[in-house]
């Protein structure tokens, strides 16, 4: 009997990934039926499959939340979503896959009601609530109104033909599920020997609650529903504060081990492996920032997509807008209050604008004139020592490494997610941060500010300023005094910090949508470096320039009100005409 249950369990995974319908209609017996819900291990094995549904590197490179669909990244082939030229699709896996997965969570929850020992399976019940909320949040962000279903549907279920629930009902349902998960989930410490950050914890569910409530709270606030928005923002702030109060996490680069990496700590956090992957030889276990991860390992579970060569150098063309977001080292923008920052060195030389800036700029982007490593043979960081790492002038080893000299695209290029050790393509083994502590700190600061239309310095110091000063030890903190003295906007500075810190992690386009400013930011031309009067004038950059002498890399972008939500796919509308199409896509 046990072997039969295992066979049925694996068949459920196969069938579940190949069948698509309006609301998942996998036959009951293909998902195990009553035969597999007879032991605690059955529930555990079934719940294990939920962890394959989360964001990962592939969705970072391209997907609903990808920064490629925002105003920060472009390429020689325009992205149809960021360019505003997407149309109604015939089908959409974002819709069908999430409903397939929701059916699975509902199956576990339904069978849990009949199980003889509820206490033995409470963690897996909690995980089912969490992942149902996770899937519904994916649907909410993409489509707004969607159908809520709490049971595994059959072909004749009335929900198959019903109208969609209003997005506020969906948001409340997500929050309800997350609170049910929080009641039963073990703490991060309790999970330390049972998967740790690879399994969702009490803190992880609270962190995700802060993400959900911040998203929907700001969505409502900036569309005139201020009262509801404030209530949701309060939920977001309190959930984030619980994670902070738990004291289980700290920013990488601030603890006794990772501090050895200095201002490069954040760069290496994103490419930590248990193979030697950084100058201090730190391992994944030295990272106390990741709250919930998608685990990878070079041999057993590699990333499986060409993440380094898909992100390094000129494979991502980063917009001038993003480069200009980085503060100068005095904590002030390049230009503010009608004047240019005294520390900003201009654009004359290729590396001028990288001087005296937030250290994250040179470790996220590539600084011109600097040697860098890749996972190419002969160009990786192999058997380095401290002197090699500093690239001293005239050292023979220096010639075998790449010297970055931008001449293509926007000439602002990326190194985030890019390994420095030699590893076969797609075999990198670093973990993907589904939720990390820096996001929670930023969620808290923004939620408090938007809830109260103000924020105290003490709240900034326990949240945003920890992120801001992680690799900028001498940068002045963000404070009400800094803002008022220099004619800044607190809201702008909070948003700036979020954009810089979470770049290329799948937040920017969702942020523009919830802030209701996508119609302002998205249609703007994507600009590159300043060519006129600089070293770039010597390069063969075949782009026209704007009035300031900056190259225009992408033009003709548009954004309409309909673009705030994705269109429902045609096949689902045919199956259920009562769904109704989203505004503007009819």
């Amino acid at each position: 009997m046990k072997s039969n249950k295992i066979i049925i369990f694996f068949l459920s995974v196969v069938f579940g990934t190949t069948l698509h319908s309006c609301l998942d209609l996998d036959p009951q017996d293909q998902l195990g039926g009553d035969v597999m819900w007879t032991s605690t291990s059955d529930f555990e094995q079934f719940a294990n499959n939920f962890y394959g549904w989360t964001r990962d590197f592939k969705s970072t490179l391209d997907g609903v939340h990808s920064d490629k669909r925002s105003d920060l990244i472009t390429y020689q082939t325009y992205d149809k979503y960021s360019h505003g030229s997407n149309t109604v699709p015939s089908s959409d896996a974002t819709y069908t896959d999430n409903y397939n997965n929701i059916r699975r969570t509902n199956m576990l929850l339904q069978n849990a009601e009949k199980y003889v020992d509820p206490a033995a399976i409470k963690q897996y019940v909690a995980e089912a609530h969490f992942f149902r909320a996770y899937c519904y949040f994916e649907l909410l962000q993409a489509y707004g109104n969607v159908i809520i279903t709490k049971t595994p549907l059959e072909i004749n279920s009335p929900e198959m033909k019903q109208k969609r629930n209003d997005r506020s009902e969906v948001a409340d349902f997500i929050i309800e599920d997350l609170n049910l998960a929080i009641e039963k989930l073990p703490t991060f410490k309790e999970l330390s020997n049972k998967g740790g950050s690879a399994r969702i914890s009490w803190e992880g569910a609270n962190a995700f609650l802060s993400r959900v409530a911040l998203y929907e709270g700001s969505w409502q606030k900036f569309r005139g529903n201020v009262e509801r928005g404030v209530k949701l923002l309060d939920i977001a702030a309190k959930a984030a504060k619980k994670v902070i109060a738990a004291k289980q996490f700290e920013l990488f680069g601030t603890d006794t081990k990772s501090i050895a990496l200095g201002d490069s700590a954040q760069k290496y956090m994103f490419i930590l492996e248990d193979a030697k992957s950084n100058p201090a030889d730190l391992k994944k276990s030295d990272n106390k920032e990741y709250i919930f991860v998608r685990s990878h390992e070079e041999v057993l579970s590699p990333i499986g997509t060409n993440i380094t060569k898909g992100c390094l150098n000129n494979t991502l063309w980063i917009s001038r807008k993003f480069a200009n977001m980085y503060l100068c080292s005095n904590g002030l923008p390049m230009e503010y209050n009608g004047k240019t920052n005294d520390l900003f060195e201009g654009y004359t030389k290729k590396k001028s604008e990288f001087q005296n800036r937030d250290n994250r700029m040179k470790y996220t982007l590539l600084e011109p004139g600097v040697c860098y490593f890749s996972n190419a043979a002969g160009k990786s960081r192999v058997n380095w020592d401290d002197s090699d790492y500093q690239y001293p002038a005239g050292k023979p080893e220096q010639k075998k490494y790449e010297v970055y000299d931008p001449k293509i695209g926007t000439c602002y290029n990326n190194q985030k997610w890019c390994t420095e050790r030699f590893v076969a393509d797609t075999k990198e083994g670093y973990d993907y941060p589904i939720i990390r502590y820096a996001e929670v700190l930023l969620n808290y600061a923004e939620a408090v500010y938007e809830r109260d239309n103000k924020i105290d310095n003490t709240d900034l110091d326990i949240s945003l300023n920890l992120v801001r000063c992680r690799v900028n030890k001498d940068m002045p903190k963000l404070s009400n005094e800094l803002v008022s003295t220099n004619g800044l906007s607190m809201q702008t500075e909070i948003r700036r910090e979020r954009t810089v810190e979470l770049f290329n992690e799948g937040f920017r386009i969702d942020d523009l949508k919830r802030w209701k400013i996508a119609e302002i930011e998205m249609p703007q031309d994507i600009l590159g470096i300043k060519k006129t009067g600089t070293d770039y004038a010597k390069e063969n950059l075949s782009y026209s320039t704007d009035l300031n002498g900056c190259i225009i890399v992408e033009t003709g972008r548009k954004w309409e009100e309909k673009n705030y939500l994705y269109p429902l796919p045609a096949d689902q509308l045919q199956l259920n005409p009562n769904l109704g199409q989203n505004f503007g896509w009819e």
Side-chain angles (χ1 to χ4, degrees):
M1 179 62 74
K2 186 68 175 178
S3 61
N4 288 338
K5 285 193 285 185
I6 293 173
I7 292 171
I8 291 169
F9 176 75
F10 283 108
L11 280 174
S12 74
V13 178
V14 175
F15 279 107
T17 57
T18 57
L19 295 180
H20 296 280
S21 56
C22 180
L23 297 178
D24 186 351
L25 295 178
D26 294 339
Q28 185 87 1
D29 58 351
Q30 289 176 352
L31 289 174
D34 294 333
V35 71
M36 73 162 292
W37 305 103
T38 58
S39 71
T40 302
S41 64
D42 289 341
F43 285 88
E44 179 182 12
Q45 289 176 16
F46 200 82
N48 287 344
N49 286 272
F50 301 164
Y51 288 87
W53 305 344
T54 62
R55 294 190 193 186
D56 202 353
F57 289 100
K58 289 181 181 179
S59 57
T60 292
L61 287 178
D62 189 26
V64 171
H65 310 289
S66 173
D67 280 12
K68 286 184 177 179
R69 299 189 182 186
S70 76
D71 57 338
L72 303 185
I73 296 172
T74 189
Y75 196 54
Q76 57 190 1
T77 302
Y78 300 159
D79 180 89
K80 64 182 180 181
Y81 296 97
S82 65
H83 202 68
S85 56
N86 60 303
T87 57
V88 177
S90 59
S91 61
D92 188 346
T94 298
Y95 191 92
T96 51
D97 286 355
N98 277 293
Y99 270 116
N100 285 340
N101 295 337
I102 287 166
R103 175 173 170 80
R104 288 166 173 78
T105 61
N106 286 340
M107 286 197 66
L108 188 149
L109 292 171
Q110 184 181 70
N111 283 281
E113 292 176 0
K114 301 175 289 185
Y115 192 61
V116 295
D117 187 2
I121 60 169
K122 70 173 185 177
Q123 178 179 344
Y124 313 118
V125 169
E127 290 175 341
H129 282 295
F130 174 84
F131 281 101
R132 186 167 68 179
Y134 186 97
C135 293
Y136 267 114
F137 188 50
E138 290 289 299
L139 293 168
L140 176 75
Q141 290 177 291
Y143 309 108
N145 302 344
V146 292
I147 295 173
I148 295 173
T149 173
K150 301 180 182 180
T151 59
L153 298 182
E154 305 301 333
I155 192 67
N156 57 353
S157 297
E159 290 93 337
M160 293 300 300
K161 297 296 181 181
Q162 76 178 51
K163 294 181 179 179
R164 292 182 282 164
N165 294 81
D166 181 80
R167 68 175 298 134
S168 290
E169 294 179 86
V170 179
D172 288 344
F173 182 59
I174 293 169
I175 291 170
E176 178 186 354
D177 255 349
L178 289 174
N179 282 326
L180 289 170
I182 288 166
E183 288 178 9
K184 295 181 172 66
L185 282 170
T187 65
F188 189 85
K189 187 175 182 180
E190 289 171 325
L191 284 173
S192 60
N193 295 320
K194 301 176 183 178
S197 59
R199 200 135 201 141
I200 191 64
S201 63
W202 178 89
E203 292 89 347
N206 272 295
F208 193 73
L209 176 57
S210 77
R211 180 188 295 182
V212 169
L214 176 65
Y215 180 90
E216 188 62 13
S218 49
W219 180 283
Q220 296 293 339
K221 177 181 178 179
F222 297 118
R223 286 163 175 81
N225 195 350
V226 177
E227 183 178 358
R228 175 166 172 80
V230 167
K231 288 180 180 177
L232 290 166
L233 291 164
D234 185 59
I235 292 172
K238 288 176 178 175
K241 189 66 175 291
K242 288 179 181 178
V243 181
I244 295 170
K247 297 183 178 180
Q248 292 298 305
F249 309 99
E250 51 191 325
L251 296 176
F252 189 76
T254 62
D255 60 84
T256 54
K257 285 190 175 181
S258 61
I259 202 169
L261 289 168
D263 59 21
S264 68
Q266 187 186 27
K267 165 190 168 72
Y268 288 107
M269 174 181 69
F270 292 115
I271 56 173
L272 278 180
E273 297 183 79
D274 289 330
K276 190 168 186 179
S277 59
N278 58 85
D281 198 21
L282 299 180
K283 304 294 191 291
K284 291 181 183 181
S285 59
D286 296 313
N287 181 6
K288 309 302 181 186
E289 180 166 338
Y290 286 4
I291 298 174
F292 183 36
V293 304
R294 188 75 173 263
S295 295
H296 292 287
E297 192 275 332
E298 180 180 358
V299 176
L300 298 177
S301 56
I303 286 174
T305 192
N306 208 350
I307 186 66
T308 297
K309 291 183 180 177
C311 287
L312 185 61
N313 200 344
N314 64 10
T315 54
L316 295 179
W317 294 358
I318 297 172
S319 67
R320 177 180 183 80
K321 178 196 292 186
F322 179 66
N324 286 348
M325 285 186 184
Y326 285 100
L327 297 169
C328 291
S329 55
N330 60 1
L332 299 171
M334 294 162 40
E335 296 183 355
Y336 64 97
N337 205 17
K339 64 180 181 180
T340 300
N341 195 314
D342 292 339
L343 292 183
F344 182 60
E345 295 196 3
Y347 302 101
T348 305
K349 301 296 181 182
K350 287 188 175 183
K351 65 186 304 168
S352 296
E353 63 184 293
F354 280 77
Q355 309 309 304
N356 305 323
R357 302 290 291 278
D358 180 335
N359 283 317
R360 288 171 293 188
M361 184 176 187
K362 66 182 178 181
Y363 289 115
T364 301
L365 310 186
L366 282 168
E367 181 181 355
V370 171
C371 298
Y372 66 96
F373 300 96
S374 73
N375 68 338
K379 298 177 181 178
S380 61
R381 184 189 291 276
V382 179
N383 298 323
W384 67 85
D385 59 29
D386 289 342
S387 59
D388 287 333
Y389 178 55
Q390 297 299 325
Y391 310 112
K395 191 171 180 64
E397 290 85 350
Q398 183 166 341
K399 64 184 179 183
K400 67 184 179 183
Y401 306 130
E402 297 281 359
V403 176
Y404 177 54
D405 186 18
K407 299 180 180 181
I408 298 175
T410 61
C411 297
Y412 293 111
N413 295 143
N414 176 72
Q415 61 176 317
K416 189 170 182 176
W417 304 122
C418 302
T419 189
E420 294 188 346
R421 74 184 187 94
F422 179 57
V423 59
D425 291 350
T426 78
K427 298 296 184 180
E428 297 96 331
Y430 25 98
D431 292 344
Y432 182 80
I434 304 164
I435 308 172
R436 62 185 179 98
Y437 190 46
E439 183 209 342
V440 176
L441 298 176
L442 296 171
N443 289 351
Y444 178 73
E446 184 183 347
V448 168
Y449 177 78
E450 295 297 351
R451 180 192 67 191
D452 303 336
N453 292 317
K454 63 180 181 179
I455 184 169
D456 294 335
N457 290 346
T458 51
D459 278 324
L460 286 169
D461 286 347
I462 66 168
S463 58
L464 181 147
N465 280 326
L466 298 178
V467 179
R468 174 188 178 103
C469 299
R470 174 223 301 261
V471 294
N472 295 294
K473 307 301 183 188
D474 299 324
M475 180 180 284
K477 295 178 179 179
L478 179 62
S479 66
N480 286 280
E481 293 75 19
L482 185 76
V483 167
S484 60
T485 301
N486 295 286
L488 305 179
S489 159
M490 180 64 78
Q491 183 185 72
T492 298
E493 295 311 306
I494 288 173
R495 291 179 177 183
R496 179 200 306 276
E497 187 61 45
R498 181 178 181 87
T499 304
V500 166
E501 177 69 21
L502 300 178
F503 170 71
N504 207 17
E505 293 181 54
F507 289 94
R508 176 63 173 177
I509 186 59
D510 294 325
D511 287 344
L512 294 180
K513 288 179 178 181
R514 66 186 178 87
W515 294 332
K516 192 63 171 66
I517 59 172
E519 69 264 31
I520 299 170
E521 302 295 336
M522 291 297 289
Q524 297 175 14
D525 291 344
I526 299 289
L527 304 180
I529 49 80
K530 184 174 184 179
K531 181 177 180 181
T532 305
T534 73
D535 280 351
Y536 287 103
K538 298 178 259 185
E539 304 295 355
N540 183 27
L541 294 167
S542 57
Y543 296 105
S544 60
T545 56
D546 68 3
L547 295 177
N548 295 313
C550 302
I551 61 173
I552 305 172
V553 176
E554 182 181 347
T555 190
R557 292 161 62 92
K558 63 181 180 179
W559 186 272
E560 302 176 42
E561 188 66 24
K562 69 178 185 179
N563 295 113
Y564 276 98
L565 295 172
Y566 281 84
L568 271 72
D571 61 348
Q572 303 308 312
L573 293 170
Q574 185 176 9
L575 288 165
N576 179 8
N578 290 324
L579 285 174
Q581 184 57 280
N582 277 331
F583 171 81
W585 295 104
E586 297 89 347

